[in-house]
Amino acid sequence: MAGNDLFRIMPIRLLGYGFPVGDVFGERYRDMNTRPFYLVGGCYIWAHCFHRAFRAYTISDNRFITASLPSHETNAVIAFFDTFIFETLASYLIPTLTSTCVYWLVDYLQGPKREGDSRARWPLPFIFALFTIIWFSGSVDRGVGHVMNDLIRPLYSARVDVLSSL
């Protein structure tokens, strides 16, 4: 499904990283208003959830297609929550934790800040944290996709089978 999903194509996918980018900017520039970054990230997540739910709703009208697809592709409610879980992990939680840890690690490795330090030293944690978000984006998406396929999505099919047997 990721190959056909407009929200998973790379230039648009970067909009989903508004939360970690906002946190990195907040770490670097404490007085900066980071709400626009959070707004972009939140709008991306909700738009992706509604897009997948609408697409599952339109696919569910065709019986030939729904017979070959799993429930998280054809049931609008399941598609909505499946996308919400995926985006919460892949766009918010994992990138935010990773970029924040990288920021703190690089800042710690540079040693204590002194008045006479060069100006090039100060943005290094910021640059490394932003680079980490972009560098690991594909790996995080694939890893969360595997976790979803192995642990979470089998629960959907079991639930649908129980409901259909009643």
Side-chain angles (χ1 to χ4, degrees), residues 56-69:
Y57 177 74
T58 58
I59 288 175
S60 66
D61 292 339
N62 189 337
R63 290 184 189 165
F64 297 111
I65 295 175
T66 57
S68 63
L69 291 175

Side-chain angles (χ1 to χ4, degrees), residues 37-50:
F37 294 105
Y38 298 143
L39 180 67
V40 168
C43 287
Y44 172 87
I45 290 172
W46 289 112
H48 193 195
C49 291
F50 283 112

Side-chain angles (χ1 to χ4, degrees), residues 2-51:
N4 301 333
D5 196 352
L6 175 68
F7 286 85
R8 298 283 298 275
I9 298 171
M10 188 41 81
I12 297 172
R13 178 70 180 107
L14 291 177
L15 295 174
Y17 299 116
F19 288 104
V21 170
D23 286 345
V24 169
F25 271 108
E27 289 287 332
R28 173 72 175 113
Y29 306 105
R30 300 239 184 250
D31 58 343
M32 182 179 176
N33 184 5
T34 57
R35 279 182 265 165
F37 294 105
Y38 298 143
L39 180 67
V40 168
C43 287
Y44 172 87
I45 290 172
W46 289 112
H48 193 195
C49 291
F50 283 112
H51 169 75

